[in-house]
Amino acid sequence: GVDEAMTNGLRGRALARRRELHELVDGAPGAGGGADGGTFEVEADSDLVTFGTAVVSMGWDAQGRHFTFRTLGLRNVVLMLDKYGRVDMAWTFAQMTLRQMMAMFHVEQLSPKMKEDLASHKCDFDKLWETCHVCFPNGDYARAGFTPGNFPYFSLWFAVDEKHLLDKRGYWEFPYLTPRWDTTSGEIYGRSPAMTALNYARALLKIEETFLD
């Protein structure tokens, strides 16, 4: 019937989107050695099918010499598109402990308040600080090409509450995988099968309420 055909169609598209995501990851050199154990793929699949958009942050573990992949919650991510409708800008927010910050940045880069806490003999290394990572295209690279410290993408890290710039670097490529299930003109975030099924679920609930009454 119609419902069976719709279900089969959604299942087929889900498998296709999953293959696309896995191909993106498997095509990256060294991807198979990540410490993530493939957990991020399950999380990204779930976000894609449920919310219509998945965001995966890519990185490099210099010590282990492999790529790392981490799925980010959509409520902590803001995406923007270029003129062709491709995701090329991202703001990601995260709560990080001072211990984690020290593993990512030099002590000199930390904010004055962080340094003050660090100097205290009662320093709480597990205290949470809100950080923001901003990644966007570098227009100067398009005009001038590569120069020392000039990359195609800017990478800026901020301590949100203190409005302090923690780090300024760059990327050769956009460091986020952002598969989207379906979009219409002008939409930044995708639409998912769950959103389609929501209307059917609401209709069934109304029917059930009618029978119960």
Side-chain angles (χ1 to χ4, degrees), residues 20-57:
E20 290 173 7
L21 176 61
H22 291 186
E23 286 171 3
L24 280 172
V25 173
D26 293 340
D36 313 74
T39 303
F40 81 94
E41 295 183 8
V42 177
E43 295 172 346
D45 285 343
S46 178
D47 285 352
L48 189 60
V49 173
T50 305
F51 302 113
T53 305
V55 180
V56 178
S57 171

Side-chain angles (χ1 to χ4, degrees), residues 122-141:
K122 294 183 179 180
C123 178
D124 182 2
F125 288 95
D126 294 321
K127 178 181 177 180
L128 292 175
W129 303 79
E130 186 176 16
T131 63
C132 175
H133 179 228
V134 185
C135 186
F136 57 96
N138 178 4
D140 290 337
Y141 182 85

Side-chain angles (χ1 to χ4, degrees), residues 100-117:
Q100 292 171 323
M101 303 272 275
M102 292 176 64
M104 287 187 62
F105 312 111
H106 295 296
V107 174
E108 296 78 15
Q109 295 175 288
L110 300 180
S111 70
K113 185 64 174 69
M114 294 173 188
K115 292 178 183 177
E116 181 183 329
D117 284 8

